[in-house]
Amino acid sequence: MKFTLSWLRDHLETDADAAAVAEAMTMAGLEVEAVHDPIAALAPFTVARIVSAERHPNADRLQVCQVDTVDGMKEIVCGAPNARAGLTTIYAPIGAWVPGLGVTLVEKPVRGVVSNGMLCSASELELSDESDGILELADDLAVGTPAAGVFGAEPVIDFEVTPNRPDWLGVAGIARDLAAASLGQLRTPSIVPVPGAFASPISVRIEAPEMCPVFAGRLIRGVKNGPSPDWLQRRLTAIGLRSINRLVDVTNLIAYDRCRPLHVYDMAKLVGAEIVVRGGQQSEGAEGIAAGTHEHLIALDGKTYAVDANMCVIADAGGERPIGLGGVMGGESTGCSDATTDVFLECAWFDPLVTAQTGRTLSLNSDAQYRFARGVDPASAVPGLELATRLILDLCGGEPSDIVLAGQPPANPSAFAFDPARVGALTGLSLDDDRIAEILTRLGFEVARGSPWSVTPPSWRRDVEGPADLVEEVARIEGYDALPSTPLPDLGAPSKGVLNPRQARVRAARRALAAMGYAEAVTWSFTKQSTAALFGGGDDALRVENPIAADLDCMRPSALPNLIQAAARNAARGHPDAALFEIGPIYLDDSPTGQRTVIAGLVAPRSARHWGAPPEDALFAMKGDLLALLDELGAPTASLQLVQGQNRDWWHPGRSARLQLGPKNVMVEFGALHPRVLKALDADAPMLAFEIVLDAVPEPRGKATKTRGPAALAPLQPLTRDFAFVMEEGKPTGDLVRAVAGADKALIVEVRVFDIYRGAGVVEGMKSVALEVVIQPREATLTEAEIEALSAKVVAAADKVGGVLRG
């Protein structure tokens, strides 16, 4: 919302400058975005007069002008076709910044002739879009007159309007609040009714009162349309509106002046003698349009819009032909032109929700739609019509008919009880009753003092619903800077927060993964239903009824798809080597137990090109990170079973596995992601990932409180023994490692796999697993017999899991 200082002074008697007005607006709760001062931008530009203009010796389309300027006589090269001797125009000196060109003038030759400045067009000064030639001004202007004074330039205040204050979308509403804040005296001109000279030949029928409760209109005949006067054009241009003609400019002026949108129809283009307000209809198949299709409207912006039953339509021809979208935009078929002589003036009130939804459905935004969607004053239909009638008669002449009024406006807000003592109780402000009543009265509230008071909000303040709202209004106008500053009581040292075990493990996991080089990602708990289906989800029970976006319509069954897409976005922006993690919920079904907390990680290994040996397999590096993370979480990693992944379409066959405590407690799934899934998510393979179900990780047992004793370091050197066992191809090697490590837990400290062999000498379907067993004597060096006995235990333990010592 924009307005000029002179416009504000039409409603507010004040001597405050633009900076003071902006400050007062800010203190009253209006968020000022900027104060644009065109006077400063036009400061270098002044009036000049061309004394002579001769053709450039080296260019047919250029002229060399001798110009009388504020700096004396200057020779200026000009290419404008209207440059001529005796023309009064605007001069820009060397060093001036020309806003329309975005350049600073410098002294340089133009086809061999030095130009000592510039003669400006309206577009170069950003006064309008016209650039056919330089400005032509009145001959009586003195040379050296500042351009800002010639064009009436003045500061423009731009501010944001909150959705609950549609009255701020009119300059009169802003002036009312500033007058209540004591910036000046409110003097908004009263609206004087204009008597009708004849009965209106146009009647109005409302078929959809839920969309348009009230519709006022009148015919004005014998108008003379055309360009608006300079004062009106300057007022609209200053706030970024394009002047069209007198009739349209009047409606735009009142929309910004009183927050009262209107519309004018060319009477000669209306069909029939009745205007009908209804909902959208479907076609019955006439004029080559298929039956059942939505009717269409060609709007004033030249675009065609399909109208459905949830939109408010203004129609003529007995209600058959749509000529406008109520509260949004009029139709091209009844638009006014310079040839218009008789007009029907509309001033109605349209439902905010219907108007807002129409704008969203059609992606159609207009000044009227913006205001009606927030709530125009329902009591302003007839007064707005009277005001527009007076302006049209003043600017265009004509003769008005009686007013046609159909329907009833929504009821005004009801009175409610208010105790003025609540102002002090809620804000701490010490205000007497007279001051509170003065503020409310200046804002338009009706105050009936009693015990308690009875306060009635004005028709334009439907956001005020109770006493707390009145307290806020009083505090806002009195000034938030007047609120007392009272320190909070000293309650002693704050208690330190205590994390529960789940929170502590989440914090530990976050720090551990960050230390490993993973970057944390925070993504939505939603995903696209087709994406969820790739990861075993996508059930209709987990679809979101009102999603925030079309591609976030399903609760995610895994955190991996969001991480995959995040890594793909990074790769598209030149960062392909990603390592991401996220800790958050997943949803397996719609029951309370179907929500799980997971720790998900993803690695997209992209090594730099190099002629040397390839790096180690990233999958094993990620497995090491995963086991280190589980140790940090206190998981029983020594007891975990490593099982090859099964029945998970998003994992790569043969390159994925599970870590579990028995077949029913699967704690982790990890491995390489399937290329088919990555392609569906527009991501490049390879990508490796893991997903820990935090709910399935047993909480660590409580730690002993006693002081840890000295380290028990073995004084003897360890020894190693190698074993090779033949076992079935399908049996996990991890089971063999755990069995051998448990053969003698006192002496065996580590078991390493150093070779797996398949081929000659090994039966097909079997594999040979070579183990290095590290033995640590504790009290004495082991004898040969003790080593042989330990070896026998190792062989026996391997035999229990299907491992036979290779001969």
Side-chain angles (χ1 to χ4, degrees):
M1 175 67 186
K2 297 179 180 179
F3 64 93
T4 61
L5 193 57
S6 64
W7 196 342
L8 177 68
R9 286 174 177 161
D10 286 349
H11 299 272
L12 185 70
E13 187 176 345
T14 180
D15 295 329
D17 58 11
V21 170
E23 175 67 18
M25 291 174 63
T26 301
M27 298 308 296
L30 289 87
E31 183 181 351
V32 177
E33 290 285 325
V35 177
H36 305 282
D37 189 0
I39 297 176
L42 293 176
F45 303 93
T46 55
V47 172
R49 185 170 289 107
I50 301 177
V51 176
S52 65
E54 300 178 357
R55 179 175 295 181
H56 193 290
N58 301 320
D60 292 339
R61 296 186 178 182
L62 298 179
Q63 296 188 77
V64 179
C65 302
Q66 303 299 322
V67 184
D68 185 11
T69 73
V70 68
D71 301 322
M73 194 66 66
K74 295 287 184 180
E75 186 174 71
I76 298 175
V77 178
C78 181
N82 61 333
R84 61 186 183 274
L87 177 66
T88 302
T89 186
I90 294 297
Y91 155 73
I94 297 298
W97 167 263
V98 183
L101 300 178
V103 299
T104 300
L105 296 182
V106 296
E107 185 176 332
K108 65 177 182 180
V110 179
R111 294 288 184 95
V113 178
V114 176
S115 182
N116 298 285
M118 178 179 179
L119 303 180
C120 302
S121 67
S123 64
E124 288 162 348
L125 297 182
E126 294 187 338
L127 298 174
S128 72
D129 296 332
E130 297 180 3
S131 58
D132 293 339
I134 58 177
L135 285 161
E136 297 191 20
L137 305 179
D139 293 337
D140 57 353
L141 287 174
V143 172
T145 302
V150 173
F151 302 114
E154 57 178 324
V156 177
I157 299 174
D158 185 4
F159 72 101
E160 286 292 328
V161 179
T162 56
N164 66 316
R165 291 302 305 271
D167 57 305
W168 284 345
L169 289 169
V171 179
I174 303 165
R176 185 187 303 111
D177 276 29
L178 292 178
S182 302
L183 190 70
Q185 188 69 33
L186 187 66
R187 64 173 188 185
T188 296
S190 60
I191 298 175
V192 180
V194 179
F198 58 93
S200 172
I202 301 294
S203 62
V204 177
R205 174 162 51 94
I206 299 177
E207 293 183 353
E210 71 282 1
M211 296 180 175
C212 176
V214 62
F215 188 109
R218 78 188 322 168
L219 174 67
I220 305 177
R221 64 190 181 190
V223 301
K224 184 178 181 180
N225 201 9
S228 295
D230 290 342
W231 71 266
L232 181 52
Q233 292 191 37
R234 285 197 301 268
R235 179 158 289 185
L236 296 179
T237 302
I239 62 173
L241 295 181
R242 182 172 59 90
S243 176
I244 299 175
N245 55 50
R246 296 174 192 171
L247 292 172
V248 176
D249 289 354
V250 164
T251 63
N252 287 334
L253 177 71
I254 296 176
Y256 277 80
D257 188 73
R258 303 294 179 98
C259 187
R260 179 62 260 184
L262 305 103
H263 187 66
V264 285
Y265 301 93
D266 189 330
M267 179 66 184
K269 299 177 182 178
L270 290 176
V271 178
E274 183 182 44
I275 287 180
V276 180
V277 183
R278 58 171 173 81
Q281 298 177 349
Q282 291 183 337
S283 172
E284 297 180 356
E287 299 181 5
I289 301 176
T293 58
H294 293 296
E295 63 182 343
H296 289 73
L297 171 74
I298 302 177
L300 286 171
D301 60 1
K303 298 179 181 179
T304 301
Y305 298 96
V307 182
D308 62 37
N310 298 317
M311 301 177 186
C312 182
V313 172
I314 312 298
D316 65 358
E320 294 298 322
R321 184 182 72 150
I323 59 174
L325 290 172
V328 180
M329 186 174 288
E332 187 179 74
S333 61
T334 56
C336 294
S337 66
D338 289 350
T340 299
T341 57
D342 300 332
V343 296
F344 186 79
L345 183 60
E346 166 200 297
C347 190
W349 190 87
F350 299 97
D351 182 77
L353 294 180
V354 173
T355 310
Q357 187 58 50
T358 300
R360 282 194 293 266
T361 301
L362 301 178
S363 298
L364 176 57
N365 298 314
S366 65
D367 287 339
Q369 189 268 351
Y370 186 79
R371 283 161 173 77
F372 279 119
R374 281 153 179 78
V376 172
D377 181 7
S380 65
V382 173
L385 187 67
E386 296 281 17
L387 178 61
T389 301
R390 173 53 60 193
L391 281 173
I392 290 175
L393 295 180
D394 290 345
L395 297 179
C396 307
E399 185 180 30
S401 73
D402 295 332
I403 292 177
V404 178
L405 182 64
Q408 292 291 331
N412 289 334
S414 301
F416 54 84
F418 175 63
D419 182 1
R422 294 201 65 184
V423 173
L426 294 180
T427 67
L429 291 171
S430 298
L431 301 178
D432 56 35
D433 291 356
D434 291 340
R435 176 56 179 161
I436 295 173
E438 178 188 7
I439 291 174
L440 295 178
T441 302
R442 286 187 174 185
L443 291 174
F445 294 88
E446 294 182 8
V447 178
R449 297 202 191 188
S451 183
W453 292 5
S454 178
V455 179
T456 305
S459 58
W460 60 83
R461 289 302 305 273
R462 295 176 181 270
D463 60 304
V464 177
E465 299 176 346
D469 297 324
L470 296 180
V471 173
E472 181 183 3
E473 291 299 299
V474 172
R476 180 174 66 86
I477 296 301
E478 184 66 18
Y480 292 127
D481 55 340
L483 296 176
S485 300
T486 304
L488 295 174
D490 185 4
L491 300 179
S495 60
K496 296 182 179 179
V498 178
L499 300 179
N500 62 35
R502 167 70 63 85
Q503 293 170 328
R505 297 173 83 177
V506 167
R507 174 178 289 187
R510 183 176 286 113
R511 291 180 175 178
L513 286 168
M516 296 174 189
Y518 290 75
E520 184 174 10
V522 180
T523 67
W524 296 105
S525 293
F526 320 109
T527 188
K528 196 173 183 179
Q529 189 175 22
S530 58
T531 301
L534 297 173
F535 290 81
D539 298 338
D540 288 339
L542 292 176
R543 288 198 65 183
V544 181
E545 292 185 359
N546 187 23
I548 60 176
D551 56 349
L552 297 174
D553 61 348
C554 186
M555 307 303 291
R556 64 182 184 184
S558 169
L560 295 180
N562 290 352
L563 290 181
I564 293 170
Q565 292 171 324
R569 286 192 295 270
N570 278 274
R573 288 160 176 78
H575 302 282
D577 191 8
L580 307 173
F581 78 93
E582 181 177 7
I583 304 175
I586 63 172
Y587 305 87
L588 305 181
D589 55 59
D590 59 349
S591 66
T593 58
Q595 180 176 332
R596 308 285 179 83
T597 301
V598 298
I599 304 172
L602 180 137
V603 176
R606 300 288 188 275
S607 301
R609 299 176 65 186
H610 196 272
W611 62 270
E616 61 173 315
D617 195 328
L619 179 58
F620 289 101
M622 190 189 70
K623 178 185 174 184
D625 293 341
L626 176 58
L627 292 175
L629 174 60
L630 291 172
D631 280 333
E632 187 70 25
L633 297 178
T637 52
S639 304
L640 292 178
Q641 299 173 348
L642 181 67
V643 181
Q644 189 167 352
Q646 299 174 356
N647 301 325
R648 297 292 194 180
D649 293 339
W650 57 92
W651 294 114
H652 196 300
R655 288 182 60 82
S656 61
R658 297 178 175 180
L659 291 175
Q660 61 188 37
L661 286 172
K664 294 184 178 180
N665 188 6
V666 179
M667 290 197 325
V668 185
E669 291 186 352
F670 71 97
L673 292 164
H674 201 292
R676 173 183 56 82
V677 174
L678 296 178
K679 184 177 180 181
L681 297 179
D682 199 22
D684 295 329
M687 283 191 182
L688 315 173
F690 64 82
E691 197 165 47
I692 303 172
V693 181
L694 192 58
D695 308 77
V697 180
E699 294 184 2
R701 297 177 180 177
K703 298 181 180 179
T705 56
K706 64 180 181 180
T707 305
R708 179 182 298 178
L713 301 177
L716 303 174
Q717 182 175 350
L719 65 150
T720 62
R721 287 291 183 270
D722 295 345
F723 299 87
F725 296 101
V726 178
M727 59 189 304
E728 294 180 9
E729 180 70 41
K731 289 189 175 182
T733 303
D735 292 348
L736 177 63
V737 172
R738 280 191 296 274
V740 170
D744 191 328
K745 295 182 178 180
L747 292 176
I748 298 176
V749 295
E750 189 175 1
V751 178
R752 307 188 188 102
V753 179
F754 66 87
D755 184 48
I756 297 179
Y757 172 74
R758 304 171 184 86
V762 177
V763 178
E764 185 176 355
M766 307 293 283
K767 61 183 176 182
S768 173
V769 180
L771 305 178
E772 181 185 47
V773 180
V774 180
I775 304 168
Q776 177 63 63
R778 297 292 177 181
E779 298 179 355
T781 303
L782 298 179
T783 64
E784 191 66 28
E786 290 172 330
I787 295 175
E788 289 297 329
L790 180 59
S791 298
K793 290 181 180 181
V794 169
V795 173
D799 185 65
K800 291 180 180 179
V801 294
V804 179
L805 187 66
R806 184 178 177 186

